[in-house]
């Protein structure tokens, strides 16, 4: 089964550091034997997309590049917006939409996100859609309903779903794998079995496999731990090793 590692660099790395990291990654990639069983997608910050995309293209790298956000229009009177069509032209293949940091700090709601999803798909970008509940919603046993409702307006147009419980992002406190599995099965029911589901939220070198090996999970979306060479390459190597292992125990 194909596995995914999505590296969300957020706003952690400067443009210069993103370029340096991309160069290190393509050098490392040449020493690995990756087939089509693993897909690495890196998501640098907006201003680094252009130069990182050139680095990957020149190296004929199989590593894909994602934007961390996108606008809902290709052109027009939308001050400050980012055109999905221009991202695609730049060599960006994927876009993360609905990350909880966008929902929280930029007030993005489901209606806006649904518009972004359609615009991104129309431009030929693949949509990595994030969904996840707050701690309060989980404590009130509303997590399932919240995730279902976040998916409702977009589920026909997503290429991958990342389940990211909001309270697990950047806290060092990931969800228990068995609970992630429960939610991933629910998500698979909503979006269809052909859409890969990944887990995100405090993924590390130590716990990545416990998530990637779950039955309804095809990989991980990694934030903090994806921003250093050692931890990102370790996570990818570990997940690649189990990518084709049958009978890997589901925790
Ligand atoms: P984290 O971030 O791995 O730092 O918790 C995850 C994410 O970007 O959603």
């Amino acid at each position: 089964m194909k596995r995914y590692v999505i590296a969300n660099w957020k706003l952690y790395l400067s443009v210069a550091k993103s370029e340096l990291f991309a160069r290190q990654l393509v050098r490392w990639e040449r020493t690995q034997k990756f087939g089509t069983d693993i897909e690495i997608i890196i998501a640098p910050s907006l201003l680094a997309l252009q130069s990182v995309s050139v680095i990957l293209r020149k190296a004929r790298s199989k590593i894909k590049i994602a934007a961390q956000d996108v606008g809902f229009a290709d052109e027009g009177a939308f001050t400050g917006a980012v055109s999905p069509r221009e991202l695609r032209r730049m060599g960006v293949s994927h876009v993360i939409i609905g990350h909880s940091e966008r929902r929280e700090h930029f007030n993005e709601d489901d209606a806006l996100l649904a518009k972004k999803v359609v615009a991104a798909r129309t431009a030929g970008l693949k949509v990595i859609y994030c969904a996840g509940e707050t701690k309060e919603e989980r404590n009130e046993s509303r997590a399932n309903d919240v995730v279902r409702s976040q998916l409702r307006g977009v589920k026909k147009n997503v290429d991958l779903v990342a389940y990211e419980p909001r309270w697990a992002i950047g806290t060092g406190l990931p969800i228990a794998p068995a609970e992630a599995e429960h939610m991933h099965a629910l998500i698979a029911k909503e979006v269809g079995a052909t859409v890969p589901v990944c887990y995100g939220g405090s993924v590390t070198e130590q716990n990545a496999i416990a998530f990637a090996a779950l039955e309804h999970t095809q990989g991980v979306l990694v934030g903090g731990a994806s921003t250093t060479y050692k931890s990102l390459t370790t996570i990818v190597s570990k997940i690649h090793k189990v990518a084709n292992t049958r009978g890997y125990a589901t925790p």
Side-chain angles (χ1 to χ4, degrees):
M1 191 208 282
K2 186 168 188 159
R3 304 285 166 169
Y4 295 82
V5 177
I6 304 156
N8 178 13
W9 293 351
K10 310 194 186 199
L11 202 49
Y12 284 132
L13 304 177
S14 65
V15 173
K17 280 189 180 150
S18 303
E19 292 168 1
L20 189 72
F21 197 1
R23 286 199 187 90
Q24 287 179 312
L25 286 175
V26 296
R27 270 200 299 276
W28 169 77
E29 183 192 14
R30 282 192 204 112
T31 68
Q32 305 295 307
K33 292 196 180 70
F34 295 145
T36 52
D37 51 353
I38 189 149
E39 189 152 301
I40 307 165
I41 305 168
I42 56 173
S45 62
L46 178 67
L47 295 182
L49 284 173
Q50 170 107 53
S51 50
V52 168
S53 161
V54 170
I55 289 166
L56 298 182
R57 195 169 60 237
K58 281 196 176 151
R60 294 177 197 275
S61 172
K62 289 201 201 111
I63 298 173
K64 303 277 192 327
I65 184 163
Q68 297 173 10
D69 177 40
V70 69
F72 57 77
D74 284 324
E75 58 181 56
F78 301 104
T79 303
V82 174
S83 161
R85 187 180 63 205
E86 294 306 310
L87 283 179
R88 189 70 198 102
R89 282 186 181 153
M90 198 187 270
V92 171
S93 54
H94 291 69
V95 60
I96 299 173
I97 297 181
H99 193 281
S100 70
E101 287 152 17
R102 300 292 316 172
R103 293 177 192 262
E104 187 182 336
H105 304 302
F106 302 92
N107 292 326
E108 298 198 354
D109 61 15
D110 289 338
L112 172 66
L113 297 172
K115 280 169 80 175
K116 291 187 172 196
V117 165
V118 170
R121 289 272 290 225
T122 306
L125 293 166
K126 290 194 173 161
V127 172
I128 299 168
Y129 194 78
C130 301
E133 78 288 353
T134 62
K135 192 76 193 175
E136 195 184 12
E137 288 161 345
R138 174 156 286 266
N139 290 343
E140 291 167 357
S141 303
R142 293 197 290 127
N144 294 357
D145 290 343
V146 167
V147 169
R148 266 199 217 101
S149 82
Q150 287 171 344
L151 292 171
R152 194 162 298 133
V154 297
K155 59 185 172 188
K156 292 200 178 72
N157 286 316
V158 294
D159 296 279
L160 187 151
V161 176
Y163 169 54
E164 301 207 300
R166 288 195 192 194
W167 47 273
I169 297 176
T171 57
L173 299 168
I175 197 169
E179 284 180 59
E181 171 59 14
H182 167 84
M183 190 62 90
H184 295 175
L186 178 147
I187 292 170
K189 237 190 224 156
E190 291 294 306
V191 297
T194 54
V195 177
V197 180
C198 293
Y199 170 75
S202 295
V203 171
T204 61
E205 295 167 48
Q206 287 74 34
N207 65 22
I209 287 198
F211 290 106
L214 294 167
E215 191 186 340
H216 290 93
T217 312
Q218 275 182 256
V220 286
L221 192 160
V222 194
S226 77
T227 60
T228 62
Y229 177 82
K230 184 184 159 286
S231 70
L232 179 58
T233 55
T234 304
I235 289 170
V236 173
S237 302
K238 284 189 171 180
I239 289 183
H240 185 233
K241 254 188 216 139
V242 299
N244 291 312
T245 311
R246 279 172 189 277
Y248 192 87
T250 302

